[in-house]
Amino acid sequence: LRGVGSLQADIHYQFFRPMKLGDRIYRKDAKTGIVDKRSSWGGRAVHETTSFVSYNQDKEVVTLMRGMWIRGERRPVSEVKEPQPIPEVYTDEQLAEIDECYANELSTQRGAEPRYWEDVEIGEDLPRMVKGPIRVTDLILFHAGFGQSFPTFAHRLAYETRQSTPGLYTRNKLNVWDIVQRMHWEEDWAHQVGAGTVYDYGAIRETFLAHLVTNWMGDDAWLRDLHVQHRKFNFAGDVNWLHGKVVDKQRTDEGAEVLLEIHIENQRGLVLTPGTAKVLLPSRETGPVELPSPPAEYSMAVLRHEVVALRRINVD
């Protein structure tokens, strides 16, 4: 599938133990699902699922992430029937509302004060958070801070990468070879791949929603699951308003559990990324949170479990 466009669509994180100072983290990943599809975005498409297992120096499983990417034929935005509107200039009133939300953010952090399961009410809202308006500067800072896990290189390293993986490069408007990843900072190429302007990485929104949840739950809780779907472009210039609500609470084999519905909407009220989060909270009755167990003890066994689980999901 080299040279075929890719859109991050569905991501499910499971967290089993903390990463401690001094830990060395390793990762194994595998393609765990391939489905042939049709896509309104790019005609023929493949839904490609990859599962990632991280583990520490003691071979203890730390996290499991299952991601589905839509791999489709690219087409320019001029051929898209109803392109998503791009951001417009903000008023001073809109910017003042954003600044007020930023100013109040630290006061809504739960922090060291435990949030007990017994005190949570179904239907209660999480304090609203904001990120943005998203700037190209923010996208570049994320790209660098993320550890350059995306294949972007300069000069000789770019040349060597192009020789080994030519599908990662196309010619820009100056006829120069450049990385396909540039739709995140180059508007001309974003137009060519079907977007109205440059847009974010899905992982950015996942970190935003994790921030919303961890601010609410406090230091003594455990974010067990985070599951989100990226349904719309998040353009440079968009505001991301983060919302959450408690929709269920129950005691399970893993402890005192709360289920949250979470989502990101932009300045137009368009929901870009809906999702859910499962949180384990301390309980006055049963005590502190106990860490959950992974589906298997070792990384390769977890990946084999993923293949079976995904096959079951597709059948259901």
Side-chain angles (χ1 to χ4, degrees):
L1 296 177
R2 289 179 177 177
V4 177
S6 177
L7 284 177
Q8 196 173 355
D10 187 286
I11 307 293
H12 186 191
Y13 292 90
Q14 298 181 58
F15 303 99
F16 301 109
R17 66 181 67 250
M19 296 182 187
K20 298 177 181 178
L21 185 64
D23 278 355
R24 184 177 291 274
I25 303 299
Y26 303 86
R27 189 184 81 180
K28 288 186 183 293
D29 58 82
K31 304 299 179 192
T32 48
I34 301 287
V35 181
D36 204 346
K37 290 281 189 178
R38 297 294 298 180
S39 168
S40 59
W41 167 60
R44 186 183 178 191
V46 170
H47 287 193
E48 179 183 75
T49 299
T50 305
S51 298
F52 305 83
V53 182
S54 68
Y55 56 98
N56 62 22
Q57 67 280 354
D58 299 318
K59 297 187 177 180
E60 298 170 321
V61 174
V62 176
T63 64
L64 170 62
M65 187 189 88
R66 178 194 300 156
M68 190 274 282
W69 282 260
I70 299 173
R71 306 294 302 274
E73 299 165 346
R74 296 187 179 101
R75 57 176 175 164
V77 69
S78 59
E79 296 181 12
V80 178
K81 291 182 181 179
E82 296 181 5
Q84 185 179 327
I86 63 175
E88 299 172 346
V89 175
Y90 288 89
T91 66
D92 289 342
E93 289 76 16
Q94 288 174 306
L95 295 176
E97 181 185 9
I98 294 166
D99 282 352
E100 181 181 10
C101 192
Y102 275 131
N104 294 332
E105 181 179 314
L106 292 181
S107 66
T108 64
Q109 276 185 351
R110 189 69 178 189
E113 181 184 357
R115 184 179 294 278
Y116 290 102
W117 183 84
E118 288 84 355
D119 298 335
V120 174
E121 298 290 338
I122 295 176
E124 72 175 82
D125 291 319
L126 277 62
R128 185 179 69 159
M129 290 178 63
V130 69
K131 305 286 186 179
I134 306 298
R135 309 163 302 170
V136 175
T137 304
D138 299 313
L139 304 182
I140 293 171
L141 287 170
F142 176 83
H143 200 294
F146 205 56
Q148 295 292 341
S149 64
F150 300 107
T152 307
F153 303 96
H155 310 305
R156 180 178 56 79
L157 294 178
Y159 161 78
E160 292 174 349
T161 305
R162 178 161 53 87
Q163 303 311 302
S164 63
T165 316
L168 284 175
Y169 289 80
T170 62
R171 295 182 188 269
N172 64 19
K173 60 185 178 181
L174 297 178
N175 200 37
V176 176
W177 291 106
D178 202 352
I179 192 78
V180 294
Q181 205 76 27
R182 68 188 187 275
M183 75 276 285
H184 297 295
W185 57 81
E186 185 180 291
E187 188 166 68
D188 177 69
W189 180 240
H191 290 167
Q192 293 302 311
V193 299
T197 188
V198 298
Y199 57 94
D200 73 342
Y201 295 95
I204 295 178
R205 281 177 265 176
E206 294 148 30
T207 61
F208 287 173
L209 288 172
H211 191 188
L212 173 74
V213 175
T214 55
N215 262 15
W216 172 81
M217 71 187 199
D219 300 342
D220 294 302
W222 183 256
L223 175 55
R224 171 62 172 87
D225 280 25
L226 181 70
H227 187 189
V228 303
Q229 295 181 333
H230 301 302
R231 296 184 178 176
K232 300 288 184 182
F233 286 113
N234 189 27
F235 292 131
D238 278 339
V239 174
N240 286 191
W241 292 103
L242 317 182
H243 299 269
K245 181 184 289 289
V246 178
V247 294
D248 195 16
K249 56 181 290 192
Q250 56 183 325
R251 296 188 184 276
T252 70
D253 292 340
E254 292 188 335
E257 181 182 293
V258 170
L259 181 64
L260 308 173
E261 285 186 355
I262 52 180
H263 71 269
I264 296 176
E265 64 180 48
N266 68 9
Q267 66 280 5
R268 291 187 171 89
L270 181 67
V271 174
L272 306 176
T273 298
T276 59
K278 187 184 297 182
V279 176
L280 301 178
L281 291 176
S283 166
R284 291 190 176 88
E285 180 181 339
T286 58
V289 169
E290 294 185 7
L291 294 177
S293 299
E297 188 173 355
Y298 298 108
S299 57
M300 287 302 297
V302 173
L303 290 174
R304 294 188 186 99
H305 178 274
E306 278 287 281
V307 173
V308 174
L310 191 60
R311 191 175 296 154
R312 188 181 304 120
I313 289 170
N314 286 333
V315 169
D316 293 342

